[in-house]
Amino acid sequence: MAQLSPLVSPPGTEALVRPPGTDAPPTCEVPHFAPVRVRGGRYQLRRLARHKRRAVAAGLAVTAAALVAAGPRDAERTRGHPAAASTTAPPPVRERHTVETVTAPVRISDGATVRLLRPGDRVDVVAADSGGQARVVAAGARVTEVPDVGATETGALIVLSVPRSTAARLAGASATARLAVTLC
């Protein structure tokens, strides 16, 4: 009697199944071995690169939660509500930051010299007293502006950008001496 194939055959054809014999290899058992684990190398790096934004967002969320949890705690105040103003604590004092450079208007005795200056030039300001002694009051001062008011018999005005201490020396020297400039 013919056996039918376990496979579906086209209608009208019947396939004969041969019993295992000489043409089939003998069955053997596969030996047991531990599973192979690949430590990800390139795959993990690619995955990290694909999910970089998600990882950054998760890190920021965790950091924010840690900061909120570790924030200052007062026994008298509830979380999320500002503490009532205490009459015993003084109000916070704002620090004053001093400006390093200031603009200082300076009257130069020689008005024709001022016409040579342009904004951005570097000049030395020299003070000459009535005894003929000359001293440098400001070295390497930057000219920020040359007002166009014209030269007078008392000189012409320029605006310099100098450190605060130099501005005080310029104001003092202009009251007692005649000022001149030299281009650097």
Side-chain angles (χ1 to χ4, degrees), residues 37 55 74 77 108 113 116 126 138 150 167 179:
R37 298 186 195 270
D74 290 339
R77 105 180 150 110
I108 304 300
T113 307
L116 299 173
V126 180
L179 300 179

Short mmCIF file of all heavy atoms in Angstrom, two decimals, residues 37 55 74 77 108 113 116 126 138 150 167 179:
data_model
loop_
_atom_site.label_atom_id
_atom_site.label_comp_id
_atom_site.label_asym_id
_atom_site.label_seq_id
_atom_site.Cartn_x
_atom_site.Cartn_y
_atom_site.Cartn_z
N ARG A 37 26.61 35.38 23.52
CA ARG A 37 26.20 36.74 23.87
C ARG A 37 27.17 37.72 23.25
O ARG A 37 28.35 37.71 23.56
CB ARG A 37 26.17 36.92 25.38
CG ARG A 37 25.19 36.00 26.05
CD ARG A 37 25.10 36.34 27.52
NE ARG A 37 24.44 35.28 28.25
CZ ARG A 37 23.14 35.23 28.45
NH1 ARG A 37 22.37 36.17 27.95
NH2 ARG A 37 22.60 34.24 29.13
N ALA A 55 17.85 60.26 25.14
CA ALA A 55 18.73 60.08 26.30
C ALA A 55 19.01 61.41 26.98
O ALA A 55 19.01 61.51 28.20
CB ALA A 55 20.03 59.41 25.86
N ASP A 74 12.03 74.17 54.26
CA ASP A 74 11.69 74.89 55.49
C ASP A 74 10.54 74.14 56.14
O ASP A 74 9.58 73.75 55.48
CB ASP A 74 11.26 76.33 55.20
CG ASP A 74 12.43 77.18 54.73
OD1 ASP A 74 13.58 76.80 55.02
OD2 ASP A 74 12.17 78.23 54.10
N ARG A 77 7.10 76.15 55.71
CA ARG A 77 6.50 76.47 54.42
C ARG A 77 6.17 75.19 53.69
O ARG A 77 6.85 74.18 53.79
CB ARG A 77 7.43 77.38 53.64
CG ARG A 77 8.17 76.79 52.53
CD ARG A 77 9.03 77.84 51.87
NE ARG A 77 10.18 77.15 51.34
CZ ARG A 77 10.39 76.97 50.05
NH1 ARG A 77 9.58 77.48 49.17
NH2 ARG A 77 11.44 76.31 49.64
N ILE A 108 41.28 119.74 25.14
CA ILE A 108 42.68 119.82 24.71
C ILE A 108 42.95 121.27 24.32
O ILE A 108 42.16 121.91 23.62
CB ILE A 108 42.94 118.87 23.52
CG1 ILE A 108 42.55 117.44 23.90
CG2 ILE A 108 44.39 118.94 23.07
CD1 ILE A 108 43.29 116.86 25.07
N THR A 113 45.16 120.26 16.80
CA THR A 113 45.57 118.87 17.02
C THR A 113 44.34 117.96 17.07
O THR A 113 44.39 116.82 16.58
CB THR A 113 46.38 118.74 18.32
OG1 THR A 113 47.44 119.67 18.30
CG2 THR A 113 46.89 117.35 18.52
N LEU A 116 42.98 116.32 13.91
CA LEU A 116 43.69 115.16 13.37
C LEU A 116 43.14 113.83 13.90
O LEU A 116 43.44 112.77 13.37
CB LEU A 116 45.18 115.25 13.70
CG LEU A 116 45.94 116.45 13.15
CD1 LEU A 116 47.35 116.47 13.72
CD2 LEU A 116 45.96 116.41 11.64
N VAL A 126 48.91 114.43 27.84
CA VAL A 126 50.03 115.00 28.59
C VAL A 126 49.55 116.30 29.24
O VAL A 126 48.92 117.14 28.58
CB VAL A 126 51.22 115.29 27.63
CG1 VAL A 126 52.38 115.89 28.39
CG2 VAL A 126 51.63 114.01 26.93
N ALA A 138 47.23 110.13 31.01
CA ALA A 138 46.54 108.94 30.51
C ALA A 138 47.35 108.39 29.34
O ALA A 138 47.64 109.10 28.39
CB ALA A 138 45.13 109.28 30.05
N GLY A 150 33.94 122.85 16.78
CA GLY A 150 34.91 123.84 16.33
C GLY A 150 35.88 124.20 17.45
O GLY A 150 35.57 124.14 18.63
N ALA A 167 40.20 108.56 34.67
CA ALA A 167 39.24 109.65 34.46
C ALA A 167 39.33 110.66 35.59
O ALA A 167 39.26 111.87 35.36
CB ALA A 167 37.83 109.10 34.34
N LEU A 179 46.25 120.63 28.77
CA LEU A 179 46.35 119.25 28.29
C LEU A 179 46.64 119.22 26.79
O LEU A 179 46.13 120.03 26.03
CB LEU A 179 45.05 118.49 28.57
CG LEU A 179 44.64 118.36 30.03
CD1 LEU A 179 43.34 117.60 30.14
CD2 LEU A 179 45.70 117.68 30.86
#
